[in-house]
Amino acid sequence: MKAAIKTGSIIVLTLLASFYAFTQPSPELTANITGSWTLPVPSVDVTEAGNNYGGAYTSAPNQVLIGFQGNPPGQFKNISWSIEIYRLDATWDPSIQLWVRRTGNGNGQATGQCTPAIYGGLTYQQVTNVTSPFLSGACQYSNIPLEFQVRNVSVLTFAQNYSTQVVYTVTITGL
Amino acid sequence: MNPINYSLTRTFKIMKKSIFAIFTFALFMGSNSVFAQDPATAEHMVNVTVPEVAVLDIATSSESNIVELNPTFTGEAGTPLVFGQQNDALWLNYSSVVKANKRRTITAQLEAPIPGIDIKLTPSAITTGKGKKGTAVAGPVILSTTPSAIITEIGTCYTEDGPSNGHKLTYTITLQEADTYDQISVGETTYAPKVTYTITEAN
């Protein structure tokens, strides 16, 4: 009888534990973006008839800030991660090139177990329609500053508004 | 141990094993839900506005862009002034950015006519620059005070800047085809009508 009670208790506790494990919402990773970039190409850049536009157009060094965190807060204190980047065109001329680079480290959130680190992205890399590696590091980060460049805008590009969406994918690579 | 107790004990043992398996599975699923974390995505827009551009210029390697066209006289009494002099020192440069499927035209217009005399203009085909460059009309075009199209079908393009780039402009001075010799007169100074080039949106 005693054994039966003991076993019954174990069953109840185990079922409760299982129920808890299954019903708890999975912790989520949330990425957040601050900013966007709108570039009005200045027509006065064609100072001489017969000439093309000159050079590239560069955004502010902190035009866009990117970060990511666990949700609910406190999750993923000790993680390694990577960020991939690609371009999803709405209206875009294939001759226009979009480039991006990281201009700072942002704010890494140190915990007892995790030393913030961020790698890659310090030199300009082209953002294409194909996903490509951009940044990697450890611990949660916020406010990673990004600078953009638009290149190859020329007087061979029709006059209109071009628009593209830059998509960042943050993946946990280790816990 | 009676058979009933034996059976209960055996049942509990089996249940213990099952519970352990469930518990282990639950733990595994719990931890796996973390390791199999879905990637997080975020996005923002980049907008580029390319404006319309329409600029043109006259380029020359000479010191000025004044075209000298001077009829000559042989000096022999009874002979007429000789016309047909040409000047091809000027080049027409332009940069043009149009909306999709739009075209532009360049016209030339004489400020004032010269009595009895025609100023004719022949624009050359273009070999420099990039893009949808214009097409030179088959010359010569007799310039008048009404704008005459000399380059058509200009899209988004540039010709390169400076002399030897763009369309070479060849001016010719001729006597008008009708018998207008009597209208020729010496101007108070020199006849110096300006030629104005304008780039406009084609209809």
Side-chain angles (χ1 to χ4, degrees):
Chain A
M1 193 60 189
K2 207 172 181 180
I5 292 169
K6 189 178 174 186
T7 305
S9 301
I10 291 171
I11 290 171
V12 170
L13 285 172
T14 304
L15 288 175
L16 283 173
S18 301
F19 180 76
Y20 178 79
F22 278 111
T23 56
Q24 276 302 297
S26 295
E28 293 177 347
L29 189 66
T30 304
N32 46 68
I33 293 281
T34 304
S36 60
W37 188 34
T38 296
L39 167 68
V41 176
S43 60
V44 293
D45 277 10
V46 183
T47 53
E48 277 291 330
N51 278 352
N52 199 353
Y53 287 110
Y57 298 92
T58 306
S59 75
N62 57 348
Q63 188 69 42
V64 167
L65 303 174
I66 183 172
F68 55 90
Q69 60 188 16
N71 184 26
Q75 300 292 334
F76 309 129
K77 282 181 178 173
N78 187 18
I79 59 170
S80 55
W81 50 268
S82 67
I83 297 179
E84 294 180 316
I85 190 169
Y86 70 97
R87 203 184 77 212
L88 192 61
D89 297 339
T91 308
W92 197 255
D93 187 293
S95 66
I96 300 176
Q97 297 175 358
L98 179 67
W99 296 70
V100 64
R101 72 171 177 177
R102 171 170 65 90
T103 55
N105 290 339
N107 303 320
Q109 296 166 25
T111 66
Q113 302 168 314
C114 189
T115 303
I118 183 167
Y119 308 105
L122 287 172
T123 57
Y124 274 115
Q125 75 176 68
Q126 189 171 0
V127 183
T128 68
N129 299 123
V130 179
T131 302
S132 58
F134 181 37
L135 305 175
S136 62
C139 307
Q140 297 180 51
Y141 265 84
S142 62
N143 296 326
I144 302 168
L146 303 181
E147 179 181 83
F148 295 86
Q149 242 183 26
V150 166
R151 301 181 188 176
N152 212 35
V153 174
S154 76
V155 296
L156 305 181
T157 311
F158 283 122
Q160 71 174 60
N161 298 324
Y162 298 93
S163 185
T164 192
Q165 193 175 44
V166 180
V167 182
Y168 305 84
T169 304
V170 186
T171 305
I172 294 177
T173 55
L175 284 168
Chain B
M1 184 180 292
N2 65 44
I4 295 171
N5 282 345
Y6 174 76
S7 177
L8 276 174
T9 305
R10 185 174 170 74
T11 303
F12 286 143
K13 280 182 178 174
I14 292 169
M15 287 179 73
K16 275 182 184 177
K17 287 180 180 175
S18 301
I19 289 160
F20 179 75
I22 292 168
F23 189 70
T24 305
F25 180 70
L27 284 177
F28 172 77
M29 289 301 291
S31 61
N32 194 47
S33 69
V34 172
F35 280 107
Q37 179 65 46
D38 288 336
T41 62
E43 57 278 324
H44 64 82
M45 299 302 295
V46 171
N47 304 306
V48 178
T49 303
V50 177
E52 291 192 69
V53 172
V55 288
L56 60 80
D57 195 8
I58 301 294
T60 179
S61 53
S62 303
E63 288 186 1
S64 79
N65 59 4
I66 295 174
V67 174
E68 297 281 355
L69 294 167
N70 300 315
T72 57
F73 181 58
T74 60
E76 191 63 37
T79 59
L81 289 172
V82 178
F83 288 85
Q85 289 76 13
Q86 289 192 331
N87 182 305
D88 59 2
L90 302 187
W91 293 79
L92 182 63
N93 303 157
Y94 52 86
S95 296
S96 168
V97 180
V98 297
K99 291 180 179 173
N101 303 319
K102 294 289 184 182
R103 293 289 181 264
R104 290 192 170 116
T105 296
I106 294 177
T107 61
Q109 180 178 5
L110 201 60
E111 182 184 29
I114 303 175
I117 291 174
D118 279 338
I119 302 296
K120 295 179 179 177
L121 174 63
T122 305
S124 75
I126 186 170
T127 57
T128 59
K130 287 186 176 178
K132 178 67 181 78
K133 296 171 287 187
T135 303
V137 300
V141 174
I142 299 173
L143 298 181
S144 71
T145 54
T146 302
S148 302
I150 59 162
I151 310 291
T152 61
E153 292 298 308
I154 300 169
T156 293
C157 66
Y158 63 95
T159 62
E160 303 287 357
D161 183 33
S164 302
N165 292 315
H167 300 267
K168 185 164 70 175
L169 302 173
T170 301
Y171 288 90
T172 308
I173 184 168
T174 65
L175 189 65
Q176 286 180 353
E177 289 185 5
D179 184 7
T180 55
Y181 199 82
D182 64 316
Q183 295 180 20
I184 299 170
S185 61
V186 178
E188 289 182 5
T189 54
T190 303
Y191 287 110
K194 287 180 187 172
V195 178
T196 302
Y197 292 87
T198 307
I199 185 167
T200 57
E201 195 91 13
N203 292 325

